[in-house]
Amino acid sequence: MALTAQSPRDFHWLVDMLESVDIGLVVLDCEYRIELWNGFMENHSGLSSTHVRDQNLFSLFPELPEQWLRRKVDTVVTLNTRTFTSWEQRPWLFRFRSTRPITGTHDYMFQNLTIHPLADPDGHIRRVCLMVYDVTDVATSKLALEQANKQLSRLSRTDRLTGLLNRGSWESLLHTEFARYRRYRQPCTLVMLDIDHFKRINDSHGHPAGDDVIRHAAALIQGCLRDADVAGRYGGEEFGLILPQTDLEGAGVISERLRRAIADARVDTHGQLLRYTISMGMASLTPATATAQEWLERADRALYQAKREGRNRVCALDD
């Protein structure tokens, strides 16, 4: 509705609407002095329109991204067109505390922003209007969904008992390492390890104690490996370790360190202190290794060799 000298009542309710509308409205002149500061902005900033009027925006809110906002406003004035920013690009412009009782899981209000050019009667753009939308509900829901999806993705890749990679994920990385070797020929060693006499542990102390032993072994494996190494639970009491950039000699050092750490450790489970050992089989990649499955079978044969030779030892399959 156009305002005329004959419509002061219209002007009154339009001003009333601007004050009560549930978005933030800020009108700035070209010197960034505030000319309009509606009720939404008063409520969330704690500053009245009387207090902020004719004040420089950046003096009142020094935490604002001045350089970024000036670029945006310059574009709006020059091109005489609106511009938009979503909370995903910049979570907020004004750092207002979140006041949502249900979705108040974040400290600050997420905001979308529109910057609109305001033309004078002569057509010149001498003011812009910042429209600040509270989108905390939308942002919180989306962030919660993304977090849930990440959690589901992580759970689908990890073993529930140990937190290591599950067999499927670990085998996928095994194939990746095999393909990398075929391309770059950099050393890589696979280690398969198995807890010795695990059935005896279960039969003598119960499955909860057996689970504690598996968790204990997984924790020590993680503690002994380097960041680039990949450990997974292959199944039951068997684990697989991929050691990139590591030849057989280097893998032997790491494996022996892990074997000793487990042999010297005690597992405190249900009032008992248990000791256990592991056997380990190693196989490095060679040009003669045709497939990742063949690589795995060679490491498995080395593991069974360690079992046959008395357990609690590390064996490597002769190439």
Side-chain angles (χ1 to χ4, degrees):
M1 177 181 293
L3 295 178
T4 67
Q6 291 75 33
S7 58
R9 293 176 57 192
D10 296 338
F11 178 78
H12 176 79
W13 68 254
L14 278 174
V15 171
D16 191 40
M17 182 188 69
L18 292 177
E19 287 299 312
S20 58
V21 69
D22 198 24
I23 64 172
L25 297 174
V26 182
V27 173
L28 302 171
D29 65 14
C30 291
E31 301 300 322
Y32 291 88
R33 288 189 294 264
I34 298 171
E35 296 195 0
L36 184 143
W37 187 259
N38 78 337
F40 177 97
M41 299 302 292
E42 286 186 339
N43 293 336
H44 291 286
S45 69
L47 300 175
S48 69
S49 58
T50 306
H51 177 79
V52 304
R53 185 169 177 79
D54 293 329
Q55 299 266 6
N56 181 274
L57 179 70
F58 300 119
S59 298
L60 280 173
F61 298 92
E63 72 277 10
L64 289 182
E66 180 173 348
Q67 192 174 10
W68 175 84
L69 186 57
R70 283 183 181 276
R71 279 202 308 269
K72 288 283 185 184
V73 170
D74 286 347
T75 302
V76 168
V77 172
T78 302
L79 301 180
N80 190 15
T81 185
R82 291 186 296 175
T83 187
F84 309 90
T85 302
S86 78
W87 66 272
E88 289 163 303
Q89 298 168 291
R90 181 175 290 278
W92 50 74
L93 177 61
F94 294 94
R95 202 175 179 86
F96 294 156
R97 302 288 300 186
S98 175
T99 57
R100 301 290 176 128
I102 305 300
T103 56
T105 53
H106 291 81
D107 291 338
Y108 297 100
M109 174 197 296
F110 289 95
Q111 298 163 1
N112 286 349
L113 174 70
T114 298
I115 306 177
H116 189 89
L118 299 177
D120 282 352
D122 60 5
H124 283 92
I125 306 300
R126 296 189 175 90
R127 295 172 184 79
V128 295
C129 179
L130 310 185
M131 302 177 187
V132 181
Y133 301 86
D134 179 1
V135 292
T136 305
D137 286 355
V138 175
T140 303
S141 299
K142 184 167 184 179
L143 290 174
L145 181 60
E146 289 176 351
Q147 186 63 31
N149 286 336
K150 284 181 182 176
Q151 180 76 355
L152 285 174
S153 175
R154 188 184 66 79
L155 290 175
S156 71
R157 292 183 289 108
T158 56
D159 173 65
R160 187 172 179 179
L161 180 64
T162 64
L164 299 178
L165 292 177
N166 61 27
R167 178 171 175 171
S169 298
W170 181 82
E171 283 188 330
S172 175
L173 292 175
L174 181 75
H175 285 272
T176 300
E177 284 303 323
F178 179 77
R180 184 176 289 125
Y181 173 80
R182 296 293 295 266
R183 184 177 180 87
Y184 300 109
R185 298 294 186 188
Q186 293 174 335
C188 187
T189 299
L190 171 63
V191 181
M192 300 300 292
L193 73 88
D194 187 90
I195 297 173
D196 295 329
H197 300 299
F198 184 70
K199 184 175 184 305
R200 188 183 301 170
I201 295 173
N202 270 340
D203 292 344
S204 302
H205 305 285
H207 289 284
D211 287 347
D212 284 343
V213 169
I214 289 175
R215 276 193 289 264
H216 181 267
L220 282 185
I221 288 170
Q222 286 181 306
C224 286
L225 295 187
R226 304 158 299 182
D227 291 342
D229 299 334
V230 179
R233 187 182 178 197
Y234 194 70
E237 68 276 21
E238 191 171 3
F239 300 85
L241 318 178
I242 304 169
L243 309 180
Q245 304 283 330
T246 308
D247 58 16
L248 205 59
E249 184 179 358
V253 173
I254 295 171
S255 298
E256 186 62 22
R257 185 169 67 225
L258 175 60
R259 186 197 66 77
R260 287 180 181 174
I262 287 181
D264 294 340
R266 305 287 187 276
V267 183
D268 187 355
T269 172
H270 301 82
Q272 309 171 78
L273 286 178
L274 300 184
R275 299 185 64 177
Y276 68 101
T277 60
I278 59 172
S279 298
M280 310 176 76
M282 306 184 300
S284 285
L285 273 173
T286 69
T289 308
T291 64
Q293 183 61 34
E294 182 182 319
W295 186 24
L296 182 62
E297 290 170 355
R298 290 176 56 232
D300 222 27
R301 287 202 299 274
L303 171 61
Y304 279 98
Q305 180 181 332
K307 295 280 188 183
R308 285 195 304 272
E309 293 180 0
R311 296 182 171 85
N312 190 23
R313 66 192 61 217
V314 180
C315 285
L317 198 68
D318 294 334
D319 294 333

